[in-house]
């Protein structure tokens, strides 16, 4: 991908800083070669990472001639029970004299851990220790053993917090990358399932995993996502959404070009249908791509319900999306510019409710919309019990108080509440946020240009969605499907026997040639 001007300036600034002050990286402080002295290697390791409180150094003597060795690990991110029982206790019990290469003998016969590798580079050893592994040094040896002991406390698997289902699996991803990958592996027992690992974060060095099914995903889509992932230059990743923002096609679009999920069954379903998933260590959310417009109103529960019920729910979500985007704008345009297009009774009712109001219609609806937005944000940030109370009681009290005080008319409160409810009918929070942002723009255009402005805003949205792409796939691909079977899983969800395995753009080129 193209490097941004900000990135280039940052690199130049970093180079100038290094020339003036010298680099602080581990690579510049530490020599790659190991010493044949255990104490020297442990001291080098301790100095390189700043002698933290959670660094544990342990000296042990093994063998008939009391051969000296040492281990180092960081508590909290390692499995201390494994270290005590499978490493320290095993080494102390094996007191026989070793034959041949002592380090090779210890690796093969004494350490009862499945993952053990030899390494002679101190810089790489430091990275492994920071990743939760244990390093083993032996006197008179210029190599070390890296023992797979990554672990520590992990959050238990529980229901997904952001995606509730009435019928479906109750497992959700957690912050541990290993656990998340295991959950996907449990759902997809296919030898073609691939996990491609990357290291992201110049300082945090977090693991990122690209998940896909090799003989299902389109090779062009796979090539594109790999190219973009390899271009990531971030110091620290807090959530997979930062990866989404880095690799998305258009950063100026309000609509998400990847979708986040906490559900292993959702990831398994999409990956088996030609999409890819991106996991980041330390977050329970997984990014899915590519995305098309019809995906924003789909839920995994649709496939667990009968097709008629699922289709009605999807149609309801489409209607709710249109209400969330255009209802306030339509009201503003009709009241301010085109009251003659409304039924006479409705015009008189609106005029009566607005009698004596100190503000214009646009000022009223903007005020109430901003108030409801603040209530929604407060409900999210506060503790769950208090947040629910604020969201429900606050909305009722403020709406009633505004009407009683003559600040807002009752119809404005109804429109604002209906719009807020409709915006959260989408299964994805990122889509709901996008609708909320676009809605304010449509309201302002309608306030200045009336119905003409509303139509103009609609055309701009259509043009934008038509030109928008997600990893080279047109965002509007399924709006007007070119093949009949694509209708079976679009706005409606056809019978399970009629739903095609994949959309055409997701099909592997090898399958298309058959």
């Amino acid at each position: 991908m193209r490097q941004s001007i900000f990135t280039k300036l940052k690199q130049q600034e970093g180079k100038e800083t290094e020339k003036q002050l010298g680099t602080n990286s581990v690579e510049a402080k530490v020599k790659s070669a190991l010493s044949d002295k255990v104490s020297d290697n442990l001291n080098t390791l301790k100095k390189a990472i700043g002698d933290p409180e959670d660094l544990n150094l342990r000296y042990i003597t093994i063998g008939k001639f009391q051969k000296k060795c040492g281990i180092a690990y960081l508590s909290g991110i390692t499995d201390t029970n494994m270290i005590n029982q499978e490493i320290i206790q095993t080494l102390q019990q094996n007191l026989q004299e070793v034959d041949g290469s002592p380090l090779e003998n210890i690796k093969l016969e004494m350490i009862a851990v499945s993952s053990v590798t030899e390494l002679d580079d101190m810089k790489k050893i430091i990275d492994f220790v920071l990743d939760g592994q244990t390093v083993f040094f032996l006197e008179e040896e210029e190599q070390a053993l890296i023992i797979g002991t990554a672990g520590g406390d992990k959050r238990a698997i529980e229901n997904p917090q952001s995606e509730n289902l009435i019928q479906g699996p109750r497992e959700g991803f957690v912050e541990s990358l290993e656990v998340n990958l295991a959950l996907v592996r449990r759902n997809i027992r296919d030898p073609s399932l691939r996990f491609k690992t990357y290291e992201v974060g110049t300082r945090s060095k977090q693991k990122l995993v690209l998940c896909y099914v090799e003989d299902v995903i389109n090779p062009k889509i796979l090539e594109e996502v790999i190219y973009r992932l390899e271009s990531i230059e971030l110091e620290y990743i807090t959530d997979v959404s930062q990866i989404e923002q880095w690799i998305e096609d258009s950063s100026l679009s309000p609509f998400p070009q990847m979708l986040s999920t906490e559900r292993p069954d959702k990831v398994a379903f999409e990956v088996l249908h030609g999409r890819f998933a991106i996991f980041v260590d330390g977050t329970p959310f997984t990014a899915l791509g590519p995305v098309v417009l019809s995906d924003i109103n789909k839920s995994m529960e649709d496939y667990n319900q009968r097709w008629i019920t699922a289709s009605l729910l999807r149609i309801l979500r489409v209607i709710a999306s249109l209400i969330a985007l255009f209802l306030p704008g339509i009201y503003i345009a009709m009241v301010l510019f085109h009251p003659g297009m409304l039924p006479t009774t409705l015009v008189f009712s609106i005029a009566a409710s607005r009698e004596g109001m100190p503000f214009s219609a646009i000022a009223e609806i903007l005020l109430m919309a901003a108030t409801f937005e603040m209530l929604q944000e407060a409900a999210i940030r506060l503790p769950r019990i208090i947040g629910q109370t604020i969201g429900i009681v606050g909305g009722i009290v403020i709406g009633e108080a505004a009407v009683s005080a003559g600040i807002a008319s009752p119809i404005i409160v109804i429109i604002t509440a209906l719009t807020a409810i409709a915006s959260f009918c989408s299964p994805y929070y990122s889509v709901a946020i996008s609708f909320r942002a676009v809605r304010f723009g449509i309201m302002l255009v309608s306030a200045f240009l009336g119905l003409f402005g509303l139509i103009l805003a609609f055309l701009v949205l259509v043009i934008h969605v038509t030109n928008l792409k997600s990893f080279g796939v047109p965002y509007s691909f399924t709006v007007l499907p070119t093949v009949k079977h694509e209708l079976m899983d679009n706005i409606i969800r056809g019978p399970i026997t009629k739903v095609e395995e994949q959309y055409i753009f997701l099909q592997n080129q090898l399958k298309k040639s058959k």
Side-chain angles (χ1 to χ4, degrees):
M1 287 182 65
R2 301 185 302 271
Q3 282 188 326
S4 64
I5 297 176
F6 174 76
T7 303
K8 293 180 179 179
L9 292 174
K10 188 175 179 183
Q11 290 177 348
Q12 294 176 0
E13 181 181 354
K15 291 179 180 178
E16 293 176 358
T17 304
E18 286 182 3
K19 289 179 181 179
Q20 295 175 3
L21 302 177
T23 179
N24 291 324
S25 64
V26 172
E27 286 78 2
K29 287 183 176 181
V30 180
K31 294 181 180 180
S32 296
L34 295 182
S35 170
D36 59 355
K37 300 291 185 183
V38 171
S39 58
D40 292 344
N41 290 328
L42 291 177
N43 288 332
T44 301
L45 175 63
K46 181 170 63 174
K47 291 179 181 178
I49 61 178
D51 191 15
E53 290 292 330
D54 57 347
L55 176 63
N56 290 271
L57 305 177
R58 176 72 183 272
Y59 290 93
I60 307 172
T61 54
I62 60 174
K64 180 179 179 180
F65 299 104
Q66 300 294 297
K67 200 169 186 66
K68 185 179 180 182
C69 62
I71 63 173
Y73 62 92
L74 292 170
S75 58
I77 60 174
T78 55
D79 188 339
T80 54
N81 290 329
M82 181 185 294
I83 294 172
N84 293 330
Q85 297 176 10
E86 309 298 337
I87 301 177
I88 297 177
Q89 184 176 349
T90 305
L91 288 173
Q92 290 177 336
Q93 290 176 352
N94 284 273
L95 301 177
Q96 72 274 14
E97 184 178 355
V98 295
D99 298 325
S101 172
L103 196 66
E104 185 70 16
N105 188 284
I106 292 171
K107 174 184 175 182
L108 297 176
E109 298 184 13
M110 296 187 183
I111 296 180
V113 179
S114 59
S115 175
V116 183
T117 56
E118 294 186 26
L119 204 61
D120 60 358
D121 190 331
M122 179 58 79
K123 297 176 184 179
K124 294 181 180 179
I125 288 173
I126 292 172
D127 291 337
F128 277 110
V129 172
L130 294 174
D131 191 41
Q133 314 299 335
T134 297
V135 59
F136 174 87
F137 297 105
L138 187 64
E139 195 74 15
E140 300 178 357
E141 292 285 343
E142 294 183 356
Q143 283 190 323
L145 297 181
I146 302 298
I147 308 170
T149 58
D153 296 331
K154 300 174 183 177
R155 181 167 64 92
I157 298 174
E158 54 188 15
N159 290 345
Q161 299 297 314
S162 61
E163 297 173 87
N164 294 322
L165 295 183
I166 296 176
Q167 183 177 354
R170 299 304 183 198
E171 290 182 335
F173 289 129
V174 295
E175 286 73 16
S176 172
L177 181 61
E178 291 77 11
V179 174
N180 294 341
L181 298 182
L183 290 173
V184 175
R185 180 75 73 179
R186 188 183 301 171
N187 283 272
I188 306 178
R189 298 176 177 89
D190 191 322
S192 297
L193 180 64
R194 298 289 181 265
F195 294 122
K196 189 175 179 64
T197 305
Y198 297 88
E199 188 179 85
V200 293
T202 55
R203 290 187 179 273
S204 61
K205 297 183 179 180
Q206 294 162 277
K207 289 182 180 180
L208 179 149
V209 174
L210 174 65
C211 172
Y212 59 94
V213 178
E214 188 174 34
D215 58 352
V216 175
I217 191 171
N218 189 311
K220 293 183 179 179
I221 295 177
L222 179 61
E223 181 181 356
E224 181 66 22
V225 67
I226 290 176
Y227 175 71
R228 297 186 189 187
L229 288 176
E230 291 176 347
S231 71
I232 294 175
E233 297 178 3
L234 295 170
E235 289 189 355
Y236 176 61
I237 309 297
T238 58
D239 188 74
V240 74
S241 58
Q242 293 177 279
I243 303 297
E244 296 178 29
Q245 297 173 54
W246 185 277
I247 65 176
E248 65 185 3
D249 289 65
S250 175
S251 59
L252 299 178
S253 175
F255 300 107
Q257 292 136 62
M258 297 184 71
L259 296 176
S260 297
T261 181
E262 288 185 88
R263 303 193 63 88
D265 58 324
K266 174 71 173 176
V267 172
F269 180 85
E270 298 296 349
V271 167
L272 286 172
H273 284 73
R275 288 181 168 87
F276 62 84
I278 297 176
F279 297 83
V280 176
D281 195 17
T283 175
F285 288 94
T286 301
L288 297 169
V291 172
V292 293
L293 188 61
S294 61
D295 292 333
I296 65 178
N297 285 317
K298 291 181 181 179
S299 170
M300 276 305 298
E301 195 170 19
D302 295 344
Y303 301 95
N304 301 329
Q305 303 287 345
R306 296 186 59 81
W307 73 273
I308 296 177
T309 305
S311 298
L312 291 175
L313 290 175
R314 284 190 182 177
I315 294 172
L316 177 64
R317 295 189 199 113
V318 172
I319 295 173
S321 298
L322 296 175
I323 291 174
L325 285 172
F326 297 106
L327 180 60
I330 292 174
Y331 173 80
I332 293 171
M334 291 300 182
V335 171
L336 294 182
F337 293 90
H338 313 284
M341 297 180 66
L342 298 174
T344 304
T345 306
L346 180 59
V347 172
F348 287 154
S349 176
I350 294 174
S353 66
R354 288 191 43 76
E355 186 177 359
M357 292 292 108
F359 303 110
S360 63
I362 179 63
E364 280 186 58
I365 200 165
L366 284 176
L367 178 63
M368 291 304 299
T371 302
F372 271 82
E373 292 294 332
M374 287 187 288
L375 282 172
Q376 292 172 5
E377 190 67 16
I380 294 173
R381 306 305 167 194
L382 288 171
R384 180 174 300 179
I385 298 177
I386 302 176
Q388 292 176 351
T389 305
I390 291 293
I392 298 173
V393 178
I396 296 174
V397 170
I398 291 178
E400 181 65 27
V403 173
S404 300
I407 298 176
S409 59
I411 192 170
I412 290 292
V413 176
I414 293 173
I415 289 176
T416 304
L418 182 59
T419 303
I421 294 171
S423 65
F424 285 104
C425 287
S426 173
Y428 301 99
Y429 180 73
S430 59
V431 176
I433 291 292
S434 300
F435 286 171
R436 289 157 64 181
V438 174
R439 179 170 67 242
F440 278 94
I442 294 175
M443 290 164 58
L444 293 175
V445 174
S446 300
F448 285 103
L449 301 176
L451 194 58
F452 173 76
L454 183 68
I455 296 173
L456 183 63
F458 175 75
L459 292 176
V460 169
L461 280 178
V462 171
I463 294 172
H464 172 69
V465 170
T466 304
N467 291 310
L468 187 61
K469 293 185 177 182
S470 175
F471 296 91
V473 176
Y475 207 71
S476 59
F477 183 85
T478 56
V479 176
L480 295 173
T482 57
V483 182
K484 182 180 178 180
H485 69 254
E486 293 170 14
L487 287 169
M488 292 296 100
D489 194 23
N490 199 342
I491 295 178
I492 66 169
R493 203 227 82 187
I496 199 70
T497 56
K498 301 294 183 181
V499 175
E500 189 69 13
E501 291 184 359
Q502 307 173 78
Y503 292 126
I504 286 181
F505 67 86
L506 292 176
Q507 288 180 347
N508 192 318
Q509 299 299 322
L510 297 177
K511 287 189 173 184
K512 291 174 68 176
S513 63
K514 291 182 179 180

